[in-house]
């Protein structure tokens, strides 16, 4: 159907790829621990919206531009890297107010709209995701597919659906774990700083990454 082959392999491979940790997972886990499962799920849906941006861009051929244009790739890469570093610095600067508060108090709550936007930008501004879609998805589209953009869109939506299953499960699981495991404010602050440092490192790594 649609010129798609090995659909089961695509689903399994995509799900396994979603399990690998990255800035999306860190953001979801951080928001769930700080503000509860609803905030984590909102972050997850923001990530899913970012995936849709890449899916639509790839289906329209914009990801091919990122793959072939060093200038376009560099611009998007640096913007995405700067955003990750900005989020990480914000977490590094967070401070606890009371030594007896729970872990979820170390990071200030944010409006759901802002959390959604964080998830969207964290994913949409990562050109590596665009390159991934351009390299991975076409392997499951037949050369003689009658409508390659449609096939690409269908596979992208399937990938995003599986990603949302995992991301929302991660949000709920993190929130439940944070309720049972309550730590002091000082330890919580250092935990946030450690995660913030990981965001900064991911941003620097993205900024220094090469196109090919």
């Amino acid at each position: 159907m649609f010129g798609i082959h090995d659909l089961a392999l695509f689903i399994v491979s995509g799900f396994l790829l979603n399990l690998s940790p990255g800035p999306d997972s860190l953001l979801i886990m951080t928001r769930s621990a700080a503000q509860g499962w609803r905030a984590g799920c909102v972050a997850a849906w923001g990530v899913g919206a970012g995936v849709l941006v890449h899916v639509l861009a790839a289906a329209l051929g914009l990801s091919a531009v990122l793959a072939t244009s060093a200038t376009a790739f560099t611009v998007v890469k640096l913007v995405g890297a700067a955003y990750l570093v900005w989020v990480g610095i914000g977490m590094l600067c967070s401070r606890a107010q009371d030594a007896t508060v729970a872990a979820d108090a170390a990071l200030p709550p944010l409006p759901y709209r802002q959390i959604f936007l964080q998830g969207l930008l964290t994913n949409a501004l990562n050109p590596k995701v665009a390159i991934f879609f351009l390299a991975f998805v076409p392997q499951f589209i037949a050369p003689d597919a009658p409508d390659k953009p449609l096939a690409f869109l269908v596979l992208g939506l399937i990938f995003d659906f599986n990603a949302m299953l995992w991301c929302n499960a991660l949000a709920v699981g993190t929130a439940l774990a944070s309720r049972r495991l309550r730590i002091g404010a000082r330890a919580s602050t250092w935990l946030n700083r450690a995660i913030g440092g990981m965001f900064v490192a991911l941003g620097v790594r993205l900024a220094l990454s090469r196109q090919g």
Side-chain angles (χ1 to χ4, degrees):
M1 183 181 295
F2 304 113
I4 298 172
H5 61 84
D6 296 322
L7 181 58
L9 178 60
F10 173 84
I11 293 174
V12 173
S13 301
F15 186 76
L16 292 176
L17 287 169
N18 281 316
L19 297 181
S20 60
D24 296 340
S25 300
L26 286 175
L27 179 64
I28 293 167
M29 294 175 68
T30 300
R31 273 299 140 200
S32 289
Q35 207 169 331
W37 68 269
R38 291 182 179 86
C41 288
V42 170
W45 284 103
V47 169
V51 172
L52 286 180
V53 171
H54 288 294
V55 170
L56 294 175
L60 295 174
L62 297 182
S63 290
V65 175
L66 290 178
T68 57
S69 172
T71 301
F73 181 89
T74 300
V75 169
V76 176
K77 177 183 68 175
L78 292 178
V79 172
Y83 179 76
L84 288 177
V85 171
W86 179 75
V87 172
I89 290 176
M91 297 182 66
L92 285 170
C93 294
S94 65
R95 293 181 180 179
Q97 299 177 351
D98 190 316
T100 61
V101 297
D104 55 4
L107 200 64
L110 294 175
Y112 286 164
R113 180 172 61 181
Q114 186 173 346
I115 295 173
F116 180 88
L117 186 62
Q118 278 189 343
L120 188 152
L121 292 178
T122 298
N123 189 278
L125 293 179
N126 187 348
K128 288 293 186 180
V129 180
I131 302 302
F132 160 76
F133 275 106
L134 193 65
F136 178 68
V137 177
Q139 299 181 43
F140 299 90
I141 301 176
D144 58 349
D147 193 337
K148 290 184 176 63
L150 178 59
F152 202 113
L153 182 60
V154 170
L155 288 174
L157 291 176
I158 292 174
F159 181 90
D160 199 15
F161 178 79
N162 288 336
M164 287 299 91
L165 292 178
W166 163 246
C167 288
N168 281 277
L170 182 64
V172 174
T174 301
L176 292 176
S178 66
R179 288 184 179 180
R180 290 181 169 83
L181 182 62
R182 300 176 72 85
I183 58 179
R186 179 171 296 182
S188 174
T189 299
W190 281 107
L191 177 61
N192 281 323
R193 288 176 178 174
I195 297 176
M198 294 179 67
F199 265 99
V200 173
L202 286 167
V204 172
R205 181 180 179 183
L206 178 61
L208 297 178
S209 63
R210 296 182 178 181
Q211 181 176 2

